[in-house]
């Protein structure tokens, strides 16, 4: 890629890069409309939006590392025409790292492409013109600790027609100039890689209803604030029942030619509409308007409303500092605006100010954005409650699948790898597309630091986000990926890095006997009060599983001496775990060992015993642990058991897997899912919660690590489980959970699987390419 092209920017490298937008334009003439496909390669640091002749094309690139920067290949043929054409790009550079990007000290755009003999790429002196966008206010607060910046855009500043062939744009006028140019291969982008996943699916969707209208006095700092969310929070709002100044309130939600007209109101006042999307949704906010110019529209989003009908937002100065707001200042006439950044939300507060003349709002919409899963498993049963839980879980997984798996679309949009392992299982059962997973496994390896640990999410260099237990999870996911696909290439490619990671843990154990607390890192384990100060039983069981996983990987790769080495390391560790944590009298594993007092920490957790079951440790006690430790909290309200530490929705994936391994608890599992996930639905949720008792404004109400009923329903209600990669071989399970009727269609890469259940009788039909074991 990019043999003749270079990176272009309006300034010197590294100067004035913080929260800055660049406009870039290339015009050219065609004698006739092109025939066939016209593809360009394009990427930018940090993000770009591409337009051709004023038409929006796409958003990119996929997140990645500077040393192998991701490139998008985009077909622009249908947007080209005879005569003058314009390729226009808006590039946004954060100017520092986020939870999804790394800043390498420079910003830029690079494009490669030809139409016949016409070079439209960013080769030297090829006619591209650039300038710093004058419309974007630079000094804004970040949306959250994890993401980029609030957008404050004044549409009166840039030329109206700069994206269009009619626009007269010349170097040396209105800030436009020839770009600074640096040859491809320069630092920090030493090389390139193909995107490796499809471009995001983007479809316009509407809001469901305007549910409230407030008015109030503007705060003194509303015009010049750095934090738009703080303005929303500090301004007092009163319900406005007199809507005579609004004509056709709901028309702005309709896709037709109607509009909502806002009549002028005092300049020291604002009007705020609370708009409901009806469901958790992910995408770019869009608005089409007509006005006299200077009207101000603030857009603030959240997942919940409080009891007064306001957005539920915590103080944006604490916690993750969530302040997800954008501002649009209108120019005169008809116009359309879409936010540059992706919002994850259900409710929108649209605040209007400075309306001096009648303002028309023609349309308010969302450009819904998601990974383009093609196939989707069909799950229909006679139990409407289970159907609703299934639909909620599927929607959650879609909302959390962008250019990577993300933990939540609301406050982070980060590729946390503990989450991703469960999301991969969800995806395998529901969609069968493992490309996001493969890409994430590779990127985790790229995040590895010198001592062998990986970051907990990536790409990033975020302080405090190196999680030793997520490094173990990363090692496990190599074997997961092989089981899903049969592809050993990732294990081969990453084997040296896997061994380097094991080297870190091995050295730690050699110096400390067992894995203990690592205060310089974040040992996560779960959102539960697990013991971590001395030796954690769960932490060491996870490492035992990791050693056995590496032994399995070594065997698959025919590294038999390595396999023996890791089996011995695992056997030695298992002996230590039993010596330190096992209580011979109680027949349980204590949760921890206090290394200062040299006594066991006599706490019991579902976590420790579920992993002991999955590892086949002390097998004769598995059913005892199930009855006395795993099941009791499941029969109560969340987090109410007084003696047993209960798992979060995230960690219940492993608890349920251990119950399935013991066997005979299918009804208890389904009843538990019905009760706990129905609790979410009954509270108005459309996606799965992060934790059992989420705190509004703090916890996420869309978290795909909680969507794993997808996996359990297929196994326990459908009665099938894959036993070879890509569903090439499946096992028909005994029908222990009775349901009146159910229909499943699983469109796997190896063929279709159909399951029909009627009155306890299961009929299974699979395509000839899939072997069924009964």
């Amino acid at each position: 890629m990019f043999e003749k092209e270079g990176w272009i920017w309006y300034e010197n490298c590294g100067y004035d890069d913080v929260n800055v937008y660049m406009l870039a334009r290339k015009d050219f003439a065609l004698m006739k409309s092109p025939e066939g496909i016209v593809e360009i390669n394009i990427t930018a640091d940090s993000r770009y939006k591409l337009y051709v002749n004023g038409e929006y094309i796409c958003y990119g690139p996929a997140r990645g590392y500077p040393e192998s920067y991701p490139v998008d290949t985009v077909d622009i043929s249908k947007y080209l025409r005879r005569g003058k054409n314009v390729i226009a790009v808006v590039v946004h550079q954060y100017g520092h790292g986020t939870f999804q990007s790394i800043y390498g000290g420079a910003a830029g755009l690079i494009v490669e492409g030809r139409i016949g003999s016409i070079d439209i790429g960013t080769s030297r002196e090829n006619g591209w013109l650039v300038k710093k966008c004058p419309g974007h206010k630079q000094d804004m607060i970040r949306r959250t600790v994890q993401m980029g910046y609030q957008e404050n855009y004044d549409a009166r500043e840039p030329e109206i027609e700069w994206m269009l062939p009619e626009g007269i744009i010349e170097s040396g006028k209105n800030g436009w100039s020839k770009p600074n140019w640096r040859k491809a291969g320069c630092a920090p982008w030493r090389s390139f890689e193909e995107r490796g996943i499809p471009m995001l699916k983007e479809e316009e969707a509407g809001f469901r209803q305007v549910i409230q209208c407030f008015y109030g006095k503007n705060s003194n700092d509303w015009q010049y604030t750095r934090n738009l969310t703080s303005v929303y929070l500090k301004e007092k709002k009163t319900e406005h029942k007199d809507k005579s100044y609004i004509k056709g309130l709901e028309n702005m939600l309709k896709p037709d030619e109607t509009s909502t007209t806002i009549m002028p109101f005092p300049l020291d006042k604002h009007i705020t509409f609370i708009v409901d999307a009806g469901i958790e949704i992910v995408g770019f906010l869009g608005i089409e308007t007509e006005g006299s110019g200077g009207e101000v529209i603030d857009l603030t989003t959240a997942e919940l409303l409080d009891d007064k009908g306001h957005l539920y937002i915590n103080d944006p100065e604490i916690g993750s500092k969530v302040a997800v707001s954008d501002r649009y200042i209108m120019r005169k006439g008809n116009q359309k605006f879409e936010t540059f950044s992706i919002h994850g939300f259900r409710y929108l507060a649209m605040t209007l100010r400075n309306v001096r003349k009648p303002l028309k709002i023609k349309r308010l919409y969302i450009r819904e954005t998601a990974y383009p899963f093609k196939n989707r498993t069909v799950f229909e049963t006679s139990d409407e409650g289970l159907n609703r839980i299934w639909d909620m879980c599927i929607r959650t997984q879609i909302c959390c699948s962008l250019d990577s798996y993300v933990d939540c679309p609301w406050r982070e949009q980060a590729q946390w790898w503990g989450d991703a392992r469960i999301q991969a299982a969800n995806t395998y059962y529901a969609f069968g597309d493992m490309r996001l997973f493969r890409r994430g496994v590779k990127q985790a390896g790229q995040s590895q630091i010198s001592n062998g640990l990986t970051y907990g999410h990536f790409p990033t260099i975020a302080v405090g986000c190196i999680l030793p237990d997520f490094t173990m999870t990363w090692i496990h996911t190599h074997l997961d990926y092989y089981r899903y696909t049969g592809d050993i290439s990732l294990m081969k490619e990453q084997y040296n890095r896997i061994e380097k990671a094991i080297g870190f843990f091995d050295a730690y154990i050699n110096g400390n006997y067992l894995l203990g607390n690592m205060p310089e890192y974040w040992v996560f384990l779960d959102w539960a009060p697990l013991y971590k100060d001395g030796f954690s039983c769960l932490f060491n069981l996870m490492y035992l599983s990791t050693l056995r996983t590496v032994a399995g990987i070594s065997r698959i790769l025919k590294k038999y001496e390595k396999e023996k080495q890791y089996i011995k390391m695992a056997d030695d560790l298992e002996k230590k775990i039993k010596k330190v944590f096992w209580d011979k009298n109680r027949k349980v594993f204590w949760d921890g060992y206090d290394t200062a007092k040299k006594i066991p920490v006599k706490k019991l957790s579902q976590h420790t015993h579920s992993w002991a079951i999955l590892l086949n440790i002390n097998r004769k006690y598995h059913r005892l642990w199930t009855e006395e430790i795993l099941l009791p909290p499941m029969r109560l309200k969340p987090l109410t058991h007084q003696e047993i530490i209960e798992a979060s929705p995230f960690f219940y994936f492993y608890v349920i897997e251990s119950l399935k391994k013991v066997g005979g608890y299918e009804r208890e599992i389904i009843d538990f899912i019905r009760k706990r996930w129905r609790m979410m639905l009954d509270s108005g949720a459309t996606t799965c919660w992060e934790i059992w008792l989420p705190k509004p404004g703090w916890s996420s109400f869309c978290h795909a690590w909680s969507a794993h009923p997808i996996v359990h329903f297929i196994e326990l209600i459908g009665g099938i489980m894959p036993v070879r990669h890509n569903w090439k071989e499946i096992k028909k399970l005994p029908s222990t959970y009775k349901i009146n009727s159910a229909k499943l269609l699983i469109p796997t890469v190896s063929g279709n699987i159909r399951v029909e259940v009627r009155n306890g009788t299961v009929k299974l039909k699979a395509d000839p390419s899939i072997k069924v074991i009964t």
Side-chain angles (χ1 to χ4, degrees):
M1 297 181 190
F2 306 115
E3 291 183 0
K4 297 180 180 179
E5 288 72 27
W7 291 87
I8 60 174
W9 194 245
Y10 73 92
E11 250 298 355
N12 293 328
C13 293
Y15 183 79
D16 193 31
D17 278 358
V18 178
N19 187 31
V20 67
Y21 291 80
M22 180 184 76
L23 310 182
R25 169 186 161 112
K26 163 71 177 173
D27 62 51
F28 54 95
L30 296 177
M31 297 297 292
K32 61 178 181 178
S33 297
E35 297 178 0
I37 294 174
V38 176
E39 289 185 333
I40 64 170
N41 292 324
I42 179 171
T43 192
D45 192 347
S46 305
R47 297 289 186 267
Y48 73 84
K49 282 194 170 183
L50 171 66
Y51 302 80
V52 174
N53 295 327
E55 293 287 327
Y56 171 73
I57 311 299
C58 63
Y59 170 83
R63 66 190 71 192
Y65 285 86
E67 57 265 28
S68 57
Y69 209 68
V71 176
D72 300 332
T73 300
V74 183
D75 179 9
I76 63 171
S77 55
K78 69 178 181 179
Y79 303 96
L80 299 171
R81 64 192 190 191
R82 180 183 177 184
K84 188 177 180 181
N85 291 266
V86 171
I87 295 176
V89 188
V90 180
V91 180
H92 182 209
Q93 172 57 261
Y94 302 130
H96 52 72
T98 68
F99 274 31
Q100 52 187 281
S101 64
I102 294 173
Y103 173 61
L109 164 71
I110 189 167
V111 179
E112 177 184 59
R114 300 188 71 85
I115 307 174
S117 61
I118 301 174
D119 179 7
I120 57 175
T122 53
S123 52
R124 188 187 289 273
E125 302 292 336
N126 196 33
W128 281 84
L129 295 178
V130 299
K131 77 170 178 178
K132 179 179 179 179
C133 180
H136 280 100
K137 183 179 177 182
Q138 203 167 349
D139 187 22
M140 298 300 294
I141 205 77
R142 289 177 65 173
R143 308 168 80 79
T144 68
V145 167
Q146 298 88 355
M147 297 196 291
Y149 288 87
Q150 294 181 357
E151 185 176 2
N152 188 338
Y153 179 64
D154 189 339
R156 298 170 298 181
E157 296 293 334
E159 296 89 337
I160 294 176
E161 296 180 334
W162 80 270
M163 292 183 179
L164 302 174
E166 299 82 60
I168 306 301
I169 305 298
E170 299 179 11
S171 179
K173 294 184 179 181
N174 298 324
W176 290 93
S177 65
K178 294 181 179 180
N180 286 349
W181 189 88
R182 300 174 65 222
K183 181 72 180 73
C186 64
W189 316 283
R190 295 297 187 187
S191 64
F192 300 95
E193 65 179 23
E194 294 180 355
R195 182 182 177 96
I197 53 174
M199 298 297 290
L200 294 177
K201 179 181 179 181
E202 300 184 45
E203 294 181 346
E204 291 186 8
F207 285 86
R208 180 169 295 179
Q209 62 179 333
V210 180
I211 59 176
Q212 190 63 281
C213 178
F214 297 105
Y215 77 97
K217 187 174 181 179
N218 293 336
S219 66
N220 292 332
D221 64 342
W222 77 268
Q223 285 181 286
Y224 307 107
T225 183
R226 298 180 63 234
N227 191 335
L228 301 169
T229 303
S230 289
V231 170
Y232 172 81
L233 290 173
K234 73 174 65 169
E235 290 180 336
K236 292 183 178 179
K237 301 173 183 65
T238 304
E239 183 180 357
H240 209 319
K241 296 182 180 179
D242 176 16
K243 297 184 175 60
S244 60
Y245 57 89
I246 304 172
K247 297 180 180 179
L249 178 60
E250 298 287 340
N251 288 343
M252 61 181 166
L253 308 185
K254 299 176 181 178
D256 54 26
E257 298 299 320
T258 60
S259 62
T260 297
T261 300
I262 312 296
M263 302 306 292
F265 56 86
L267 298 182
D268 64 342
K269 297 293 195 297
H270 65 264
I271 297 171
T272 297
F273 299 105
I274 303 298
V275 191
D276 182 10
I279 53 176
E280 183 90 15
I281 199 162
V282 183
F284 305 100
L285 292 173
I287 187 168
E288 294 181 14
T289 59
E290 181 183 353
S292 59
E295 298 92 340
V296 178
I297 304 173
D298 288 350
L299 304 167
T300 300
T301 55
E303 294 188 303
L304 293 175
L305 299 180
D306 65 18
D307 55 4
K308 295 181 180 179
H310 302 303
L311 299 189
Y312 213 127
I313 303 172
N314 270 344
D315 183 345
E317 297 302 319
I318 60 177
S320 290
K321 302 183 185 293
V322 179
V324 185
S325 298
D326 295 308
R327 171 171 288 173
Y328 178 62
I329 304 174
M330 290 175 54
R331 63 174 181 262
K332 185 178 180 180
N334 290 302
Q335 56 213 279
K336 180 178 179 180
F337 168 74
E338 289 188 9
T339 59
F340 194 91
S341 298
I342 293 171
H343 288 247
F345 69 104
R346 174 169 176 174
Y347 297 99
L348 164 69
M350 180 175 68
T351 299
L352 307 179
R353 311 176 198 270
N354 205 31
V355 179
R356 300 169 183 266
K357 295 182 179 181
L359 164 66
K360 288 186 178 180
I361 303 176
K362 298 183 175 182
R363 192 162 67 103
L364 181 66
Y365 66 95
I366 310 113
R367 186 181 294 277
E368 192 170 7
T369 304
Y371 182 87
F373 292 118
K374 289 185 177 180
N375 298 320
R376 185 184 299 187
T377 294
V378 175
F379 178 87
E380 298 173 355
T381 77
S382 55
D383 189 323
E384 188 57 31
L386 297 185
N387 295 340
R388 291 182 64 203
I389 291 170
W390 171 271
D391 291 342
M392 178 176 66
C393 291
I394 291 292
R395 175 147 197 89
T396 305
Q397 187 57 67
I398 291 173
C399 286
C400 294
S401 301
L402 297 171
D403 59 344
S404 73
Y405 292 129
V406 300
D407 61 332
C408 66
W410 163 57
R411 70 166 184 258
E412 294 197 30
Q413 300 176 17
Q415 187 175 208
W416 286 99
W417 206 241
D419 306 48
R421 187 184 188 195
I422 295 174
Q423 292 196 53
N426 296 340
T427 303
Y428 181 58
Y429 279 72
F431 309 110
D433 187 336
M434 291 289 102
R435 287 175 288 182
L436 277 181
F437 190 42
R438 175 184 174 85
R439 197 162 182 273
V441 174
K442 290 171 67 70
Q443 289 187 338
Q446 287 178 280
S447 80
Q448 190 171 53
I449 63 176
S450 59
N451 67 6
L453 291 177
T454 59
Y455 276 82
H457 61 82
F458 29 81
T460 192
I461 52 172
V463 174
C465 292
I466 298 174
L467 284 66
D469 46 320
F470 278 24
T471 298
M472 297 179 193
T473 300
W474 168 66
I475 293 172
H476 281 86
T477 53
H478 290 84
L479 195 54
D480 292 345
Y481 180 75
Y482 169 74
R483 288 169 177 163
Y484 293 149
T485 66
D487 181 1
I488 66 171
S489 63
L490 276 182
M491 295 189 294
K492 281 184 175 181
E493 178 184 312
Q494 302 284 343
Y495 190 80
N496 289 341
R497 285 176 168 164
I498 291 171
E499 286 209 298
K500 186 175 182 179
I502 293 296
F504 167 83
F505 294 111
D506 189 43
Y508 194 100
I509 282 182
N510 289 336
N512 298 277
Y513 189 73
L514 286 169
L515 294 183
N517 188 29
M518 301 177 183
E520 65 273 39
Y521 305 112
W522 178 14
V523 178
F524 171 68
L525 304 181
D526 186 25
W527 290 130
L530 297 163
Y531 181 76
K532 301 177 186 179
D533 291 335
F535 293 150
S536 160
C537 186
L538 174 61
F539 193 26
N540 283 276
L541 285 172
M542 292 176 72
Y543 183 50
L544 172 59
S545 178
T546 304
L547 288 171
R548 291 184 180 176
T549 295
V550 180
I553 291 171
S554 300
R555 180 174 63 256
I556 293 167
L557 298 180
K558 299 181 180 180
K559 298 177 182 289
Y560 300 120
E561 291 302 315
K562 290 287 187 179
E563 178 190 6
K564 292 177 183 177
Q565 172 190 332
Y566 290 118
I567 289 174
K568 183 180 185 305
M569 291 169 65
D571 290 344
D572 290 344
L573 179 58
E574 183 177 347
K575 292 174 184 176
K576 292 180 179 180
I577 290 171
K578 289 178 177 178
K579 181 178 180 180
V580 172
F581 301 106
W582 178 247
D583 187 319
K584 294 180 181 178
N585 297 320
R586 287 286 305 274
K587 312 302 183 190
V588 296
F589 282 105
W590 295 120
D591 213 48
Y593 183 85
D594 189 323
T595 53
K597 296 180 180 179
K598 298 184 178 180
I599 56 173
V601 178
K602 294 189 175 182
K603 294 182 178 180
L604 296 174
S605 71
Q606 289 179 313
H607 306 70
T608 294
H609 291 87
S610 61
W611 273 73
I613 290 171
L614 293 171
L615 287 164
N616 277 323
I617 297 175
N618 291 354
R619 189 168 183 175
K620 64 181 178 179
Y621 301 111
H622 287 188
R623 200 163 294 277
L624 173 68
W625 299 341
T626 299
E627 295 290 343
E628 296 187 358
I629 298 174
L630 300 187
L631 290 177
M634 297 171 66
R635 294 171 177 145
L636 302 176
K637 292 182 178 180
L639 311 180
T640 57
H641 201 287
Q642 299 298 308
E643 297 178 1
I644 298 168
I645 299 171
E646 186 177 6
S648 74
F650 156 63
F651 211 92
Y652 256 110
F653 175 80
Y654 298 104
V655 174
I656 293 174
E657 287 299 305
S658 70
L659 289 173
K660 290 192 291 190
K661 183 177 177 62
V662 174
Y665 295 99
E666 290 75 13
R667 174 163 291 281
E668 284 85 350
I669 294 170
I670 297 297
D671 287 347
F672 169 74
I673 292 173
R674 186 201 312 276
K675 180 170 58 178
R676 290 290 180 91
W677 273 260
R678 182 64 184 263
M679 174 183 69
M680 302 179 195
L681 286 166
D682 289 345
S683 297
T686 61
T687 48
C688 303
W689 298 345
E690 177 182 8
I691 56 177
W692 292 126
L693 303 175
K695 184 179 179 182
W698 288 82
S699 308
S700 162
F701 284 75
C702 180
H703 229 82
W705 72 7
S706 303
H708 50 82
I710 293 170
V711 177
H712 312 313
F713 281 180
I714 290 178
E715 291 191 359
L716 301 182
I717 295 176
I720 56 173
M721 180 177 67
V723 292
R724 280 190 62 201
H725 55 80
N726 271 349
W727 299 88
K728 290 182 179 178
E729 194 171 285
I730 62 175
K731 184 177 181 180
K732 184 177 179 182
L733 303 173
S735 180
T736 56
Y737 182 78
K738 305 300 181 184
I739 194 166
N740 289 336
S741 64
K743 288 184 179 181
L744 279 77
L745 170 62
I746 307 173
T748 77
V749 295
S750 296
N752 290 331
I753 303 170
R754 293 177 174 82
V755 179
E756 185 171 351
V757 181
R758 284 192 178 276
N759 300 320
T761 302
V762 180
K763 292 183 179 180
L764 172 63
K765 183 178 180 181
D767 285 356
S769 55
I770 300 173
K771 182 179 180 181
V772 180
I773 302 173
T774 57

